[in-house]
């Protein structure tokens, strides 16, 4: 192995690929991407408050798994 540094554009490409991998994994679990949510709210609903990440995460979990009443199969 050499001691040369990784070129900056290689680092940027790896960082972008890693972000896509993480985003895909979250979408596979049913968790929307927080960065996309913030971008959407700023562009489409600038008059509304933006949830912080813990609130966003809790709201998405409740929406997916049945809210405060818990999941009931029957």
């Amino acid at each position: 192995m050499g001691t040369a540094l990784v070129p900056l554009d290689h680092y940027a490409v790896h960082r972008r690929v890693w972000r896509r991998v993480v985003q895909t994994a979250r979408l596979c679990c049913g968790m929307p991407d927080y960065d996309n949510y913030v971008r959407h709210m700023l562009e489409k609903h600038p008059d509304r408050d933006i949830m912080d990440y813990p609130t966003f995460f809790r709201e998405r979990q409740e929406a997916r798994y049945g809210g405060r009443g818990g999941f009931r199969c029957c």
Side-chain angles (χ1 to χ4, degrees), residues 20-33 64-65:
R20 290 289 184 189
V21 168
V22 169
Q23 182 183 28
T24 301
R26 286 182 178 154
L27 289 172
C28 287
C29 297
M31 191 69 203
D33 187 48
R64 181 170 175 87
Y65 297 111

Side-chain angles (χ1 to χ4, degrees), residues 39-64:
R39 187 177 312 116
H40 171 81
M41 291 299 286
L42 290 174
E43 289 176 2
K44 305 292 183 185
H45 311 283
D47 54 325
R48 294 188 192 170
D49 291 334
I50 297 174
M51 292 184 275
D52 59 352
Y53 186 78
T55 305
F56 172 78
F57 185 82
R58 187 173 45 254
E59 193 274 332
R60 290 290 80 210
Q61 276 192 324
E62 289 175 358
R64 181 170 175 87

Side-chain angles (χ1 to χ4, degrees), residues 1-8 10:
M1 291 185 71
T3 58
L5 295 175
V6 174
L8 192 56
H10 286 192

Side-chain angles (χ1 to χ4, degrees), residues 64-67 69-73:
R64 181 170 175 87
Y65 297 111
F71 177 74
R72 299 179 67 175
C73 64

